[in-house]
Amino acid sequence: MARKSASAPEDETYVERIVDIDVREEMQGAFLEYAVSVIHSRALPDARDGLKPVQRRILFSMHEMGLRPDRGHVKSSRVVGDVMGKYHPHGDTAIYDALVRMAQPFTMRLPLVDGHGNFGSLDDGPAASRYTEARPAAAALLMTTGLDEETVPFVPNYDDQLLQPEVLPAAFPNLLVNGASGIAVGMATNMAPHNLVEVIGAARHLIANPSCSLDDLMKFVPGPDLPAGGRIVGLDGIRDAYLTGRGSFRTRATTRIEKTSPRRMGIVVTELPYLVGPEKVIEKLKDAVQSKKLQGIADVKDLTDRKHGLRLVIEVKNGFNPDAVLEQLYKLTPMEDSFSINNVALVGGQPRTLGLKDLLRVYVDFRTDVVRRRTEYRLGKRKDRLHLVEGLLVAILDIDEVIQVIRSSDDGNTAKARLMDVFDLSDPQATYILDLQLRRLTKFSRIELENEKTDLERQIEELEAILGDEKLLLKTVSTELAEVAKSHGTPRRTVLLESAGVPATTATPLEVADDPCWVLLSSTGLMARTTGADSIPADGSRSKHDALVGAVRTTARGEVGLVTSRGRLVRLSALELPTLPPTNGAPSLSGGAPLAAYVDLPAGEEPLTIVGLGSEGPGIALGTAQGVVKRVTTDYPGRPEFELVSLKDGDEVVGTVELLTGDEDLVFITSEAQLLRFGAASVRPQGRAGGGIAGIKLGGGDRVSFFGAVPQGADAVVVTSSGSSGALPGTEPGSIKVTPYSEYPAKGRATGGVRCHRFLKGEDTLVLAWAGPVPARASGANGVALELPEANGRRDGSGTPAPAAIARIAGPPR
């Protein structure tokens, strides 16, 4: 098509060019560009710092605004506006939603934003950004520390006016700790949160053992640790996810069955599955009751408040088995939910599906590069400062001539040139001398400069050593990770169960036969009972990842006693405990329930073990932290709970053992590595009001770490683990030693005993001790079984480095 221009001469024409484009190709190209933009700039996290671009820009903007955890909050809208105007070319809604998520403790395992105001709940959204306030949380500083030391590359923002970090330094594995979720184009990510201490433990193990297997890493990270707690049922899907990056697991609410009224039982829900709110559960429950799919429910009450946390009370009608009703609730309501793991993250700008080892390897390599770049930056800065200090020392040593040179010069440039020529100084040194203040010309300033020079030379030597030795560099990374775990680590919240036990149904009979059974207590606080009086295996094991610390033979309608650190005995009904399924071997205690579901202990009071309540036998023996021993007669009252010993102020029970013959050895082991064994017959039984007698003589500052009993003539060992008293419990493996029990001679009661462990450099206490019959079984804080070294013959020798921190040791049931 041709047309004439209005301003062109009559004889001149302009031809308009029209290019034919295939719409299909154009749409494909445009969609591909859009998909790549969504994947890289919005939906998927970076595997290095675990952040999406909007999250990274929020934390960086807060850093640039000077916000800190120890300073006041600012309006959330101010943060949102700063991010939107400088770094994130999208709407304020997306930015505020990301900020809110980073402040929600039920969403993030380690929140990065400290929110003030209504930041929403599992059932309700947050208030508008103009009503809420925010500042970085303490963990956010770990993400941004080092930005000013050239640790990460910077890239231009969307309008090329400012620079923003391509990735944050991230002093902890944020992607594994806090998880992530996002939907891109053609792909999505859904990652579960984990425990900080466990993840860092696995990362440090990978640094020390680059060729370690997945099973080795899962000893540190047995499964996710959800912010709301709850229980994970079934671990096979977790291992699949850790191996391939894809898998699933089921989460269940934490419940307990108790009397809600004098004549009615109820189900009390204290923890719900990840991202499930109580209103959603109530809604589904009412729908199931109205459609007659669920029977046996009398009422439901939401008693949740800020002081006591989640408390959902579901009352059960008389004549219905609460266990059967609970199983129906799991099937018909979100009290049991499924979580699908899809570990997709950006690695080198490309989306990849990563397993546990891959995620840890990407982070460790990235953090190693950050520490290397930081070390190079610090080395350069200290060399520059040393260069200036050396020039200043030259000037101070001959200050009169320096002043004469400056005074006789026509201008500053001439003075600088003459200083460089006369004193053989560099340009930066001469400039620094010209800027020198008169107060720096004192004798004391010269001493300060000489001390500074010595310190700088020492620091330069240390930094060059790190850069010159890859092992030292990796050790620095590992040490910094350990410090993060020590300062920011929290205990595990989610209980891991290999199975859910035997499913109950509404046809389950209400009356249970009073058959013989065993009541069991594991090191992670799980309780259950067996279906019969089958013998317990000699090693006391009940599952792959736990140790048995209590086993009492009773009947299904009988009772056992839980002994606590405050010297109390609390009665527990065997009938209320979950029943373990029968197997060809030993039943797995992973089908049990947490002890907290049956007894609510005050803060500071810890459960020790379970004992029988029979009236026959020599009774039980108690040992306290201040070295008191007591044998308690078996005339127990019928009350639900009562005291076994009268404790002095500041004292607590550290060990309880049920005596079978009365001829056993009683054993004390102290924190300063003193062991005392003496016959139980030397301790006269007392009534419950008695305060006990002297068991072991303690030195100043010494406390009892372990108290137990060893049968006469038994093949027994003593296990001791040493470490530093300043370390966070559960984070330092320490040194472990196993010694035959026969190596320690018997002494009289109320004496100091003999030395049982020699401390190495940096160790000053026993972090764990145990004595008892073989085989001894050790487990970590998460219940993972740990190997113990072979017994040696040196009773006062030092230990060998332990592969991981040991939390509990148990022997075979007695």
Side-chain angles (χ1 to χ4, degrees):
M1 175 181 179
R3 66 178 182 180
K4 291 184 178 181
S5 172
S7 60
E10 289 293 331
D11 58 345
E12 184 177 356
T13 60
Y14 289 85
V15 179
E16 185 179 80
R17 299 180 60 190
I18 299 177
V19 179
D20 292 331
I21 298 176
D22 188 345
V23 175
R24 183 175 180 178
E25 292 181 358
E26 178 67 16
M27 290 295 292
Q28 287 179 344
F31 183 78
L32 181 61
E33 291 180 4
Y34 167 74
V36 172
S37 174
V38 171
I39 290 172
H40 284 266
S41 303
R42 298 179 69 176
L44 297 185
D46 194 299
R48 295 171 293 179
D49 63 2
L51 298 174
K52 300 178 185 179
V54 63
Q55 296 171 324
R56 186 179 303 114
R57 290 161 181 167
I58 289 172
L59 295 181
F60 177 66
S61 182
M62 285 185 168
H63 173 79
E64 291 294 290
M65 292 170 66
L67 304 182
R68 296 293 182 271
D70 55 349
R71 299 177 186 175
H73 295 79
V74 300
K75 283 289 185 180
S76 300
S77 55
R78 178 180 169 190
V79 177
V80 171
D82 194 77
V83 174
M84 182 169 58
K86 293 181 177 179
Y87 308 111
H88 198 64
H90 299 286
D92 59 330
T93 301
I95 299 173
Y96 185 54
D97 287 346
L99 185 146
V100 166
R101 186 183 185 277
M102 290 194 291
Q104 293 175 333
F106 52 83
T107 301
M108 307 281 280
R109 186 60 179 84
L110 191 65
L112 301 177
V113 173
D114 178 13
H116 182 67
N118 179 14
F119 274 79
S121 66
L122 289 167
D123 295 307
D124 297 312
S129 60
R130 61 184 177 272
Y131 299 121
T132 63
E133 297 178 342
R135 67 183 178 188
L141 297 186
L142 299 175
M143 301 295 295
T144 57
T145 299
L147 281 174
D148 55 349
E149 294 182 300
E150 299 180 0
T151 54
V152 293
F154 277 69
V155 295
N157 69 335
Y158 63 88
D159 60 359
D160 293 332
Q161 298 296 314
L162 301 169
L163 291 177
Q164 61 183 346
E166 179 185 279
V167 64
L168 295 185
F172 69 95
N174 176 62
L175 186 57
L176 275 167
V177 173
N178 280 321
S181 63
I183 300 176
V185 179
M187 63 185 65
T189 184
N190 197 35
M191 305 181 65
H194 291 77
N195 185 274
L196 175 68
V197 175
E198 295 176 356
V199 172
I200 287 182
R204 297 185 67 198
H205 183 75
L206 182 62
I207 292 174
N209 305 275
S211 61
C212 64
S213 66
L214 176 62
D215 291 333
D216 294 334
L217 296 176
M218 287 189 66
K219 290 181 179 180
F220 296 91
V221 186
D225 187 21
L226 307 177
R231 295 184 291 174
I232 292 178
V233 181
L235 306 182
D236 292 339
I238 293 175
R239 193 183 191 285
D240 292 340
Y242 288 167
L243 180 63
T244 65
R246 297 179 184 271
S248 65
F249 59 86
R250 289 182 298 146
T251 57
R252 276 191 171 184
T254 300
T255 62
R256 64 173 181 265
I257 297 174
E258 62 182 38
K259 279 189 173 294
T260 56
S261 66
R263 301 183 59 184
R264 180 163 287 172
M265 298 293 292
I267 301 169
V268 179
V269 182
T270 55
E271 294 174 350
L272 286 172
Y274 185 43
L275 300 181
V276 173
E279 291 186 9
K280 184 178 180 181
V281 173
I282 294 174
E283 180 183 356
K284 292 292 185 181
L285 188 151
K286 290 182 177 179
D287 290 343
V289 171
Q290 292 174 358
S291 62
K292 299 188 182 303
K293 294 180 181 179
L294 179 62
Q295 298 181 353
I297 302 297
D299 192 13
V300 56
K301 301 175 182 177
D302 187 3
L303 305 180
T304 303
D305 57 31
R306 293 182 181 271
K307 181 177 181 181
H308 301 94
L310 176 67
R311 183 176 173 84
L312 194 63
V313 179
I314 304 172
E315 293 188 354
V316 180
K317 292 180 179 178
N318 293 333
F320 286 84
N321 189 319
D323 292 315
V325 174
L326 177 60
E327 202 64 33
Q328 293 299 311
L329 287 171
Y330 287 145
K331 293 179 180 179
L332 300 174
T333 72
M335 285 177 57
E336 179 175 295
D337 200 10
S338 178
F339 188 97
S340 297
I341 299 176
N342 189 24
N343 295 337
V344 178
L346 296 176
V347 179
Q350 300 296 321
R352 284 181 52 192
T353 303
L354 305 170
L356 176 62
K357 187 173 181 179
D358 296 329
L359 288 167
L360 290 172
R361 172 55 61 193
V362 170
Y363 173 76
V364 168
D365 291 344
F366 165 67
R367 187 60 191 174
T368 303
D369 182 64
V370 167
V371 173
R372 180 185 291 110
R373 294 179 60 155
R374 184 191 66 194
T375 305
E376 292 172 349
Y377 176 84
R378 292 177 178 178
L379 179 62
K381 286 293 183 180
R382 280 154 180 76
K383 284 185 175 181
D384 292 343
R385 177 59 185 171
L386 178 61
H387 185 63
L388 296 179
V389 170
E390 289 174 342
L392 195 54
L393 282 172
V394 170
I396 289 180
L397 288 175
D398 202 357
I399 192 61
D400 293 336
E401 187 175 352
V402 169
I403 294 174
Q404 180 62 33
V405 169
I406 295 174
R407 291 186 62 184
S408 59
S409 301
D410 295 333
D411 51 38
N413 291 332
T414 303
K416 181 169 68 173
R418 293 182 62 192
L419 286 174
M420 294 170 61
D421 182 58
V422 173
F423 297 99
D424 193 20
L425 300 174
S426 65
D427 186 279
Q429 288 176 325
T431 302
Y432 190 68
I433 292 172
L434 289 173
D435 295 336
L436 184 67
Q437 297 177 345
L438 293 177
R439 63 182 179 86
R440 300 298 304 272
L441 304 180
T442 63
K443 179 180 180 181
F444 183 69
S445 293
R446 175 185 172 185
I447 297 175
E448 284 183 330
L449 288 171
E450 291 176 346
N451 291 336
E452 184 181 359
K453 178 183 177 182
T454 302
D455 290 341
L456 288 171
E457 290 173 343
R458 175 183 55 80
Q459 294 174 19
I460 290 172
E461 182 179 357
E462 293 175 353
L463 294 173
E464 288 178 339
I466 293 175
L467 292 175
D469 188 348
E470 187 71 16
K471 291 183 178 180
L472 187 57
L473 176 64
L474 292 174
K475 183 179 179 181
T476 303
V477 174
S478 180
T479 301
E480 291 180 357
L481 286 173
E483 292 174 354
V484 171
K486 182 177 179 180
S487 58
H488 292 80
T490 56
R492 166 172 279 275
R493 299 174 185 172
T494 303
V495 177
L496 303 177
L497 304 176
E498 289 186 358
S499 65
V502 177
T505 66
T506 52
T508 302
L510 296 178
E511 297 294 331
V512 180
D514 197 21
D515 296 328
C517 66
W518 285 87
V519 173
L520 310 174
L521 174 65
S522 77
S523 64
T524 53
L526 296 178
M527 290 199 71
R529 62 181 172 92
T530 64
T531 54
D534 301 332
S535 61
I536 307 296
D539 64 351
S541 63
R542 311 307 294 182
S543 70
K544 299 177 183 178
H545 66 284
D546 216 339
L548 196 64
V549 297
V552 174
R553 187 165 184 166
T554 181
T555 62
R557 291 184 173 275
E559 292 182 325
V560 298
L562 172 71
V563 182
T564 73
S565 59
R566 296 305 304 156
R568 295 194 306 137
L569 187 145
V570 181
R571 291 179 179 269
L572 297 175
S573 173
L575 188 61
E576 297 179 356
L577 302 177
T579 304
L580 299 180
T583 61
N584 294 331
S588 172
L589 197 58
S590 61
L595 177 62
Y598 303 100
V599 58
D600 187 14
L601 298 179
E605 185 173 7
E606 300 295 332
L608 297 179
T609 188
I610 52 176
V611 297
L613 297 178
S615 58
E616 300 179 356
I620 62 176
L622 307 171
T624 75
Q626 295 181 3
V628 174
V629 64
K630 180 183 179 182
R631 283 183 60 183
V632 185
T633 56
T634 57
D635 54 341
Y636 303 131
R639 299 195 299 270
E641 56 184 64
F642 49 86
E643 289 189 352
L644 294 174
V645 61
S646 178
L647 295 173
K648 296 180 180 179
D649 292 340
D651 200 4
E652 64 178 357
V653 177
V654 296
T656 304
V657 63
E658 187 172 6
L659 302 177
L660 300 181
T661 65
D663 296 328
E664 293 93 340
D665 280 351
L666 300 182
V667 183
F668 279 96
I669 303 177
T670 74
S671 60
E672 293 188 356
Q674 293 295 119
L675 183 147
L676 175 63
R677 51 176 285 201
F678 55 87
S682 64
V683 182
R684 177 176 57 85
Q686 293 180 319
R688 292 181 296 102
I693 59 178
I696 184 173
K697 184 179 180 181
L698 300 176
D702 196 6
R703 290 176 65 85
V704 173
S705 297
F706 168 81
F707 173 80
V710 177
Q712 287 286 344
D715 183 12
V717 294
V718 175
V719 183
T720 51
S721 176
S722 57
S724 172
S725 59
L728 181 70
T731 60
E732 181 178 334
S735 301
I736 190 78
K737 180 172 73 76
V738 182
T739 309
Y741 178 72
S742 58
E743 294 294 322
Y744 300 93
K747 298 287 184 179
R749 181 182 57 80
T751 61
V754 297
R755 191 77 173 170
C756 64
H757 195 107
R758 178 168 58 85
F759 295 141
L760 298 175
K761 184 178 179 181
E763 301 174 345
D764 60 358
T765 187
L766 286 186
V767 296
L768 182 138
W770 181 86
V774 296
R777 182 178 173 89
S779 65
N782 50 19
V784 175
L786 302 174
E787 295 293 332
L788 291 173
E790 296 293 331
N792 59 56
R794 295 188 59 191
R795 74 184 189 196
D796 61 344
S798 58
T800 58
I806 297 176
R808 294 293 296 270
I809 299 177
R814 303 177 61 230

